[in-house]
């Protein structure tokens, strides 16, 4: 449990503390599976504009967990699994989209 300034600056810190290791690993495995599925599909659609199947998967996983943490930090109740998945998927696809736009913009230079 964080103390002092961390408690004020990071109120979302308690979210992973309440989950045990089994649930965290289970969640990561499920998100990695979905990430691989969507990463491979995005690679087939985006081809050279994307990041490859592995890159898309890693970006999907990172975007998912960052979106869930940001939603939790802003006070969104993620007790309902549907809401947590919706925020995570939205964040993952938004993250990959923004990075693909940046990559396309840099290719123009």
């Amino acid at each position: 449990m964080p103390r002092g300034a961390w408690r004020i600056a990071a109120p979302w810190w308690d979210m992973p503390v309440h989950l045990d290791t089994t649930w965290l690993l289970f969640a990561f495995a499920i998100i990695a599976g979905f990430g691989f599925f969507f990463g491979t599909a995005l690679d087939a659609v985006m081809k050279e504009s994307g990041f490859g199947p592995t890159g898309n998967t890693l970006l999907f996983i990172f975007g998912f967990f960052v979106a869930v943490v940001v939603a939790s930090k802003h006070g969104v109740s993620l007790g309902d699994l549907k809401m947590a998945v919706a925020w995570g998927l939205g964040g993952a696809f938004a993250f990959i989209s923004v990075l693909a736009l940046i990559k396309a913009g840099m290719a123009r230079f």
Side-chain angles (χ1 to χ4, degrees), residues 58-93:
L58 293 175
L59 292 175
F60 185 88
I61 293 169
F62 180 75
F64 188 95
F65 282 111
V66 167
V68 169
V69 168
V70 167
S72 177
K73 182 179 178 184
H74 287 294
V76 176
S77 176
L78 299 176
D80 182 23
L81 186 59
K82 292 176 191 173
M83 185 63 82
V85 170
W87 272 93
L89 288 176
F93 284 117

Side-chain angles (χ1 to χ4, degrees), residues 3-30:
R3 302 191 189 284
W6 271 103
R7 187 126 178 113
I8 296 168
W12 48 268
W13 187 264
D14 288 340
M15 183 182 69
V17 174
H18 295 299
L19 297 175
D20 61 353
T21 308
T22 306
W23 280 106
L24 284 174
L25 289 174
F26 186 63
F28 184 79
I30 288 174

